[in-house]
Amino acid sequence: MSLSSHLQELKKKHQSLSDSVEVLQRSPATDDLEIAKLKKKKLMIKEEITRLSAH
């Protein structure tokens, strides 16, 4: 997998997580721990995107 395609996949995953977090935050019966896990995963992906983009 090339670097650019890997970055594209990471960006798609990041956007998908963003969408999931947004939907969960709107739901009244949301588990805060689940949202925190998704946000942490989203941050890890964002950091990897930043790291790979810097090269």
Side-chain angles (χ1 to χ4, degrees):
M1 178 184 290
S2 72
L3 180 60
S4 63
S5 63
H6 184 59
L7 280 171
Q8 286 296 80
E9 284 300 312
L10 288 173
K11 288 177 182 179
K12 286 180 188 175
K13 287 180 184 179
H14 185 267
Q15 185 59 50
S16 177
L17 286 169
S18 290
D19 295 343
S20 295
V21 167
E22 189 174 323
V23 167
L24 286 173
Q25 286 179 328
R26 291 183 188 163
S27 174
T30 300
D31 180 9
D32 290 338
L33 185 59
E34 183 66 25
I35 291 174
K37 286 179 185 178
L38 290 175
K39 285 184 174 183
K40 186 172 184 176
K41 189 172 183 178
K42 185 178 147 187
L43 179 60
M44 289 172 56
I45 290 172
K46 181 69 172 181
E47 288 173 347
E48 185 173 356
I49 289 169
T50 301
R51 183 179 58 80
L52 292 173
S53 296
H55 290 223

